[in-house]
Amino acid sequence: MNLKTTNNVYFIGIGGIGMSALARYFIAEGKSVAGYDRTKTDITVALEELGAEIHFEDAIEKIPSAFLNPKDTLVVYTPAIPKGHLEFNYFKDHDFELLKRSVVLGEITKNTFCLAVAGTHGKTTTTSILGHLLYECNVPVTAFLGGVSENYNSNFILKGTEVTVVEADEFDRSFLTLSPNMAGLTSMEPDHLDIYGEPEELEKSFIEFTKKLKPNGKLFVKNGLPIEGITYGIEDDSDYSAQNIRIINGSYEFDVKTPNGTLHNFKFDLPGRHNLSNALMALAMSVEYGIPHQQLAKALASYRGVKRRFTYQIKTEDLVFIDDYAHHPGEINAVHQAVREMYPGKRVLAIFQPHLYSRTRDFADEFAKSLSQFDQILLLDIYPARELPMEGVTSDWLLSKIKNENKKLVQKSKLISEVLASDAPVILTIGAGDIGEQVKLIKQALELENKL
């Protein structure tokens, strides 16, 4: 199907973070957009305001009549939909062109100058920093993000369609459809073993992704990864290295050593060395793209982050409440490092909701070790997402492995009273499930209790 001549695009799972960004792209391109999702959210409301027709019941009669012609309707679907989905099967049986989100994104990247960011952790933040830098420096860019940018209150940044910035997702090997001119690799830690089986298979997939570069493409890799490319790192001998790092008023200030000299006076507001590393990759890619240093320094200083990535909900002298999407032991370690660096000596309460039975099973010991570092731990039940329960894999089992006396398994209904009973001045919510819905309630309770 030719994306240029397609008039109508229908999305099954339109409210997903990646799907909704694609929907916004097609709306910007002047296409008619409609779709189905299970639940109404802020994302679907925003799409409706842009003109998309959305319904929340899997029913063929709900599909708008304009989208029932296979000749001029493209159907985009998410791999997460169940096998018995009525609308999906209707489109399949009536010879519509059905494409996975990743395939459509791949088609878009073939026809643009594409910068893609891959890695087990850090890709959403890095992609959003890169998209912001290019946008602020007047590059005609479209950025597809895997999270909602605080600067744009959206998972989609648009200033033109000549250049694309894409989050390259290893889940379901979907990043192998992309054709980048520049690609970055932040990390290759084992994850998604429910898809890959063995860590070696995941690593193979990342290596395969690096071979998707267009001719004369450039590959950026975190120093230490077993792949050749332009390296970046912190206070080391990488091609691009952050040097002379200071923390001033809760922000990083640093210089960047490049292959052609040192660039001075960068300021970055996100806490944590992992975030500084993400910013460095985005800067390296931007410098290689050809953006001048002064413009980049100004753009980076105005970057505000991604929702649910070390997001401050409350920030006072006496009380700090931070929410983060961390759902892998490596990410929890990174959040722990950031909190200890910003709030040395302060007692920290971590509230964690494990995501997926398979991930909890595969990394139980690593989760226990990373969570044990906090001063107090409240553990919620496992969020199943796309999975059925697995025998013996429970939050109680994970709790038993945590080597810290200050730990407790809590039901959501009792969570707020447990939080208010804690004397920790720094409170964290972490996890990728529906813990985000508890954040507003915790914030309200803390503000009321502390008269904020």
Side-chain angles (χ1 to χ4, degrees):
M1 178 168 278
N2 185 335
L3 294 182
K4 291 278 179 228
T5 57
T6 303
N7 297 319
N8 303 320
V9 190
Y10 188 87
F11 288 84
I12 303 174
I14 195 167
I17 202 80
M19 293 282 274
S20 57
L22 259 191
R24 283 173 174 270
Y25 174 80
F26 283 119
I27 292 167
E29 287 271 282
K31 313 284 187 199
S32 294
V33 169
Y36 154 85
D37 211 295
R38 273 189 314 184
T39 45
K40 199 180 186 82
T41 62
D42 291 346
I43 287 175
T44 60
V45 169
L47 285 173
E48 285 175 312
E49 285 168 1
L50 290 171
E53 287 186 68
I54 302 174
H55 59 270
F56 303 95
E57 186 187 339
D58 177 17
I60 292 141
E61 60 273 18
K62 296 275 186 186
I63 302 166
S65 57
F67 294 81
L68 292 173
N69 182 353
K71 288 192 172 60
D72 65 357
T73 299
L74 168 65
V75 179
V76 185
Y77 68 97
T78 165
I81 58 163
K83 284 196 169 60
H85 198 278
L86 299 175
E87 293 185 18
F88 177 81
N89 288 321
Y90 171 84
F91 287 123
K92 194 172 158 190
D93 294 343
H94 289 80
D95 296 325
F96 280 76
E97 177 133 30
L98 282 131
L99 295 178
K100 272 189 191 175
R101 179 189 75 88
S102 55
V103 175
V104 178
L105 198 53
E107 280 303 305
I108 292 168
T109 64
K110 276 179 196 154
N111 303 312
T112 57
F113 187 98
C114 173
L115 300 93
V117 178
T120 324
H121 327 300
K123 56 184 173 290
T124 299
T125 301
T126 308
T127 309
S128 77
I129 298 170
L130 185 55
H132 177 70
L133 294 179
L134 298 188
Y135 180 93
E136 286 292 308
C137 298
N138 293 314
V139 174
V141 66
T142 301
F144 297 91
L145 313 178
V148 176
S149 158
E150 295 279 8
N151 288 79
Y152 306 91
N153 198 27
S154 175
N155 54 338
F156 182 68
I157 303 172
L158 181 70
K159 199 165 207 148
T161 51
E162 289 169 38
V163 176
T164 45
V165 170
V166 178
E167 178 167 333
D169 191 1
E170 75 279 4
F171 173 72
D172 203 29
R173 296 180 170 85
S174 62
F175 61 174
L176 299 181
T177 63
L178 304 175
S179 300
N181 298 75
M182 291 186 177
L185 194 50
T186 62
S187 54
M188 289 198 310
E189 283 188 51
D191 197 7
H192 300 302
L193 299 186
D194 54 326
I195 302 288
Y196 286 95
E198 297 298 325
E200 294 75 25
E201 286 302 308
L202 177 67
E203 198 166 302
K204 269 188 215 165
S205 199
F206 277 119
I207 290 164
E208 209 178 319
F209 166 71
T210 66
K211 293 174 180 164
K212 296 289 175 184
L213 278 168
K214 289 175 187 157
N216 304 316
K218 291 181 178 178
L219 178 65
F220 299 77
V221 293
K222 186 167 188 177
N223 199 3
L225 290 179
I227 291 180
E228 289 290 309
I230 297 166
T231 56
Y232 70 96
I234 292 177
E235 294 177 327
D236 60 10
D237 59 352
S238 302
D239 299 315
Y240 284 83
S241 173
Q243 303 282 353
N244 190 23
I245 300 165
R246 293 93 65 206
I247 295 175
I248 297 168
N249 298 327
S251 299
Y252 285 117
E253 295 191 12
F254 62 101
D255 303 327
V256 178
K257 178 183 77 66
T258 79
N260 299 313
T262 301
L263 310 175
H264 297 279
N265 300 326
F266 285 92
K267 182 174 180 288
F268 184 59
D269 280 340
L270 261 61
R273 291 280 169 130
H274 61 300
N275 281 322
L276 187 57
S277 176
N278 296 334
L280 193 60
M281 183 203 268
L283 285 170
M285 292 175 89
S286 302
V287 169
E288 294 283 336
Y289 180 78
I291 296 173
H293 162 217
Q294 295 312 121
Q295 272 185 283
L296 281 177
K298 188 179 174 195
L300 187 68
S302 68
Y303 176 75
R304 296 210 308 270
V306 177
K307 287 189 195 306
R308 299 220 62 227
R309 303 304 196 279
F310 214 92
T311 303
Y312 283 100
Q313 300 292 328
I314 296 173
K315 192 179 185 183
T316 68
E317 283 292 309
D318 303 318
L319 181 67
V320 172
F321 173 29
I322 296 159
D323 178 41
D324 195 276
Y325 186 73
H327 55 286
H328 184 281
E331 292 165 351
I332 294 171
N333 287 334
V335 168
H336 177 263
Q337 183 276 324
V339 166
R340 296 298 187 198
E341 187 175 50
M342 291 296 157
Y343 302 101
K346 289 203 172 180
R347 186 174 161 77
V348 181
L349 160 65
I351 303 151
F352 178 57
Q353 181 189 46
H355 183 262
L356 297 178
Y357 296 103
S358 59
R359 187 184 279 126
T360 307
R361 175 200 63 201
D362 294 340
F363 301 106
D365 292 339
E366 292 88 342
F367 273 125
K369 196 175 172 188
S370 62
L371 290 166
S372 298
Q373 301 173 97
F374 297 101
D375 302 298
Q376 186 183 352
I377 304 106
L378 296 178
L379 200 58
L380 293 169
D381 282 328
I382 296 169
Y383 183 77
R386 54 188 178 269
E387 293 183 338
L388 294 170
M390 293 179 179
E391 197 175 339
V393 181
T394 63
S395 284
D396 210 17
W397 171 66
L398 176 58
L399 190 78
S400 71
K401 291 174 169 287
I402 295 172
K403 291 182 167 55
N404 184 324
E405 290 304 306
N406 251 326
K407 61 181 181 177
K408 195 170 191 179
L409 184 62
V410 182
Q411 296 306 309
K412 281 182 193 163
S413 57
K414 300 274 173 29
L415 182 57
I416 285 176
S417 56
E418 289 289 346
V419 171
L420 295 179
S422 171
D423 61 353
V426 181
I427 297 166
L428 278 174
T429 40
I430 42 182
D434 59 3
I435 188 170
E437 292 167 20
Q438 300 297 313
V439 171
K440 288 177 195 166
L441 304 174
I442 295 168
K443 182 182 180 181
Q444 284 168 358
L446 286 170
E447 285 174 339
L448 203 66
E449 179 83 0
N450 293 278
K451 298 182 175 60
L452 298 177

